[in-house]
């Protein structure tokens, strides 16, 4: 009796199940892999098959089946047991392959391994008529897949043309379902503020290089990092070159150039253009890990002897390392002679402290700001009218170029026209922003006046915080050029920025303690 049961078990047909869905969403929503496996197991039970393994795939049915991990594992399983004949069970013919060529190749791959295939919704027949019907069914699946792909692409392009982003949300945005819009990009705090500060900091010169921007992004734990936990300079460049942050849609794939989007912009077109201009002017500077956030005056202070910017270093002493600035110009009298960081930055701080004006002078500054603001308001309407004229002119040029494109078949000429249209669309975006936002309001004036007076009245307070980015901002706003420093005599007479230069006219009676650093 035992021998009889053993013979029945040995003779039982072995089977494997293959299940596939086209996306992870289908799997997680419960419509795919589990239901297919259940149906296939019921089929195997009704046939008396012994199911040895199940091989799932979460990947599109088009293309090479050898790119499907589950199918590769299934074929490897068959290769490992060449003396055993298996039946491969799957739910539907479309789960097998949705490409005619690869359908036939996969059939041959199973045939060479001695495996047969069975489908719950289709009966395979090894006859000329059966092969013909199978080929037609496979071709129909391929046609449906390509038609679906075309339909999806058309819908994606149409949505982009309507001003909606369709790809993964850029850093600083997230998707939210909004009535009347569907999925819409909205700002994603606190990343949106980080992105804004990165753009504005680079545009105004607070960040000297794209490497500085990368360091700034790295300083925020919330900002996404690569697998090594680092924000690379390339990632910073990718952020700084994304027009999406201006509220516009651009896509080379769909031929869209500076189309106004429905999402809220994080920066202005003007800020974006300033960033691109600074990127074009700056040379590539790799990130220096040995400098970090340690030397606020690196690149700002020059050797008084040779005019070269002072370098910085952390030489090792007997018990610890020490921070120094030094000149590394061979032939200079100060070559290789170190200046303690605290000494140099302390003297520059003392110089900044002398620029604090008195209350009567601040009242004069307030009057100057008010007059300048009134003049700006008077000019605003003229600039808005000029911007509207430029938009109309750009529209005429675009229309003319489109007519020329229709009338030519030369690919190079068409490409040149398309490039010009892209440039005009970009310019239109800038003009439209001027026309919409150029008129200043009184509330904005009061806000800017308060910030400006707070800085001018005491730039020393920002310097005293010790924050390297704030110190660099103070230097940029206070001085119009680099500072010269003599190792023996200290800071030399600086070139002040326009506000402090204007205040310097009254320095003999209004500036506290007068100017510092005389030659």
């Amino acid at each position: 009796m035992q021998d009889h049961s053993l013979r029945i078990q040995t003779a039982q047909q072995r089977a494997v199940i293959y299940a596939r869905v086209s996306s992870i969403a289908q799997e997680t929503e419960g419509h795919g892999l589990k239901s297919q496996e259940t149906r296939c197991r019921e089929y195997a039970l009704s046939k008396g098959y012994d199911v040895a393994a199940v091989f799932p795939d979460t990947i599109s049915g088009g293309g090479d089946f050898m790119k499907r991990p589950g199918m590769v594992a299934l074929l490897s399983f068959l290769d490992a047991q060449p003396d055993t004949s298996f039946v491969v069970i799957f739910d539907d013919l479309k789960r097998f392959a949705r490409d005619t060529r690869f359908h036939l190749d996969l059939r041959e791959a199973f045939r060479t391994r001695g495996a047969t295939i069975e489908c719950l919704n289709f009966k395979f027949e090894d006859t000329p008529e059966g092969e013909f019907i199978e080929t037609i069914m496979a071709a129909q699946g391929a046609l449906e897949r390509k038609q679906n792909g075309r339909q999806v692409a058309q819908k994606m392009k149409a949505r982009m043309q309507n001003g909606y982003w369709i790809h993964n949300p850029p850093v600083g945005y997230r998707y939210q379902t909004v009535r009347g819009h569907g999925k819409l990009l909205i700002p994603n705090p606190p990343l949106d503020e980080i992105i804004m500060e990165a753009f504005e900091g680079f545009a105004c010169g607070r960040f000297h290089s794209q490497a500085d921007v990368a360091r700034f992004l790295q300083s925020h734990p919330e900002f996404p990092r690569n697998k090594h936990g680092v924000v690379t300079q390339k990632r910073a460049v990718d952020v700084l070159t994304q027009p999406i942050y201006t509220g516009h849609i651009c896509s080379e794939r769909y031929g869209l150039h500076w189309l106004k989007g429905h999402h809220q912009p994080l920066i202005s077109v003007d800020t974006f253009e300033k960033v691109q201009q600074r990127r074009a002017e700056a040379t590539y500077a790799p990130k220096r890990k040995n400098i970090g956030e340690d030397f606020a005056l690196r690149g700002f202070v020059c050797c008084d002897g040779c005019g070269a910017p002072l370098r910085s270093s952390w030489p090792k002493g007997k018990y610890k390392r020490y921070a120094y600035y030094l000149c590394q110009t061979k032939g200079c009298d100060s070559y290789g002679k170190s200046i303690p960081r605290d000494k140099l930055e302390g003297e520059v701080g003392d110089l900044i402290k002398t620029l604090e004006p008195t209350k009567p002078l601040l009242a004069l500054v307030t009057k100057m700001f008010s007059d300048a603001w009134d003049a700006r308001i008077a000019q605003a309407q003229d600039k808005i009218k000029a911007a509207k004229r430029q938009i109309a002119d750009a529209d005429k040029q675009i229309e003319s170029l489109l007519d020329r494109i229709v009338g030519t078949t030369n690919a190079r000429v068409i490409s040149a026209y398309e490039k010009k249209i892209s440039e005009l669309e970009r310019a239109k975006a800038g003009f439209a922003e001027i026309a919409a936002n150029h008129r200043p309001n009184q509330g904005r004036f009061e806000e800017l006046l308060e910030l400006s007076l707070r800085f001018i009245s005491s730039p020393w307070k920002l310097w005293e915080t010790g924050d390297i980015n704030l110190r660099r901002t103070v230097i940029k706003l206070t001085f119009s050029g680099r500072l010269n420093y003599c190792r023996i005599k200290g800071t030399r007479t600086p070139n002040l920025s326009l506000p402090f230069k204007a205040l310097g006219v009254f320095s003999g009676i209004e500036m506290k303690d007068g100017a510092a650093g005389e030659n």
Side-chain angles (χ1 to χ4, degrees), residues 162-200:
N162 287 328
Y164 296 95
W165 189 249
I166 61 172
H167 306 296
N168 291 333
V171 180
Y173 285 107
R174 63 180 176 87
Y175 279 118
Q176 179 173 303
T177 301
V178 178
R179 187 175 182 180
H181 295 277
K183 285 188 176 181
L184 181 67
L185 287 179
I186 64 169
N188 184 25
L191 295 175
D192 57 339
E193 295 179 357
I194 295 173
I195 293 294
M196 292 166 62
E197 190 172 353
F199 269 98
E200 292 167 0

Side-chain angles (χ1 to χ4, degrees), residues 348 351-352 355 474-481 483 494-497:
V348 171
L351 172 61
I352 293 172
L355 301 177
V474 170
I475 291 290
K476 292 285 289 184
L477 295 177
T478 305
F479 304 105
S480 62
L483 290 170
N495 292 318
L496 300 176
S497 62

Side-chain angles (χ1 to χ4, degrees), residues 198-333:
F199 269 98
E200 292 167 0
F202 191 63
C204 73
R206 170 186 166 191
F207 303 127
H208 272 256
S209 65
Q210 294 170 123
D212 286 337
V213 175
R215 276 191 285 269
F216 166 75
L217 298 176
Q218 178 78 33
S219 69
H220 290 273
E222 308 93 336
F223 197 86
R225 288 155 166 72
N226 62 15
K227 62 182 180 180
H228 304 294
V230 176
V231 179
T232 64
Q233 184 168 333
K234 182 180 182 303
R235 184 62 184 278
V237 172
D238 291 341
V239 168
L240 294 175
T241 53
Q242 278 276 21
I244 189 75
Y245 293 116
T246 68
H248 292 82
I249 302 290
C250 294
S251 173
E252 290 294 330
R253 180 178 180 180
Y254 296 122
L256 302 178
H257 308 289
W258 291 87
L259 177 69
K260 182 64 177 175
H262 292 280
H263 61 282
Q264 177 183 333
L266 298 185
I267 61 169
S268 66
V269 175
D270 182 57
T271 298
F272 183 82
E273 293 296 348
K274 287 179 180 178
V275 167
Q276 306 319 306
Q277 184 178 359
R278 287 209 62 210
R279 289 185 61 252
E281 293 172 351
T283 56
Y284 177 81
K287 223 173 167 181
R288 293 179 59 92
K289 295 182 180 179
N290 61 319
I291 298 302
E293 302 297 308
D294 302 324
F295 296 91
L297 297 178
R298 184 178 170 87
F300 288 107
V301 177
C302 298
C303 173
D304 191 50
C306 62
L310 295 179
R311 304 293 183 87
S312 53
S313 65
W314 277 99
K316 187 175 182 181
K318 186 175 181 179
Y319 300 106
K320 63 178 182 178
R321 293 185 178 276
Y322 297 88
Y324 286 102
Y325 289 94
L326 71 161
C327 176
Q328 291 186 335
T329 304
K330 292 183 178 180
C332 178
D333 292 339

Side-chain angles (χ1 to χ4, degrees), residues 360-378:
L361 198 51
L362 280 178
L364 177 61
V365 171
T366 302
K367 184 64 169 64
M368 291 168 58
F369 271 117
S370 180
D371 291 343
W373 190 265
D374 291 340
R376 181 181 175 186
I377 291 177

Side-chain angles (χ1 to χ4, degrees), residues 413-430:
V413 173
I414 292 175
S415 177
Y417 287 158
E418 289 177 342
K419 182 179 180 181
K420 182 62 177 177
I421 289 173
S422 176
E423 293 173 354
L424 289 169
E425 291 287 1
R426 185 169 179 168
K428 272 182 59 182

Side-chain angles (χ1 to χ4, degrees), residues 9 33 42 62 72 81 97 132 134 149 180 210 225 243-244 254 261 305 318 353 375 426 454 477 503 518:
Q9 185 177 3
L33 296 179
E42 291 176 350
V72 171
Q81 303 177 75
F132 174 76
E134 181 184 340
Q210 294 170 123
R225 288 155 166 72
I244 189 75
Y254 296 122
K318 186 175 181 179
K353 196 171 186 178
R426 185 169 179 168
R454 189 185 304 172
L477 295 177
L503 294 175
E518 292 297 329

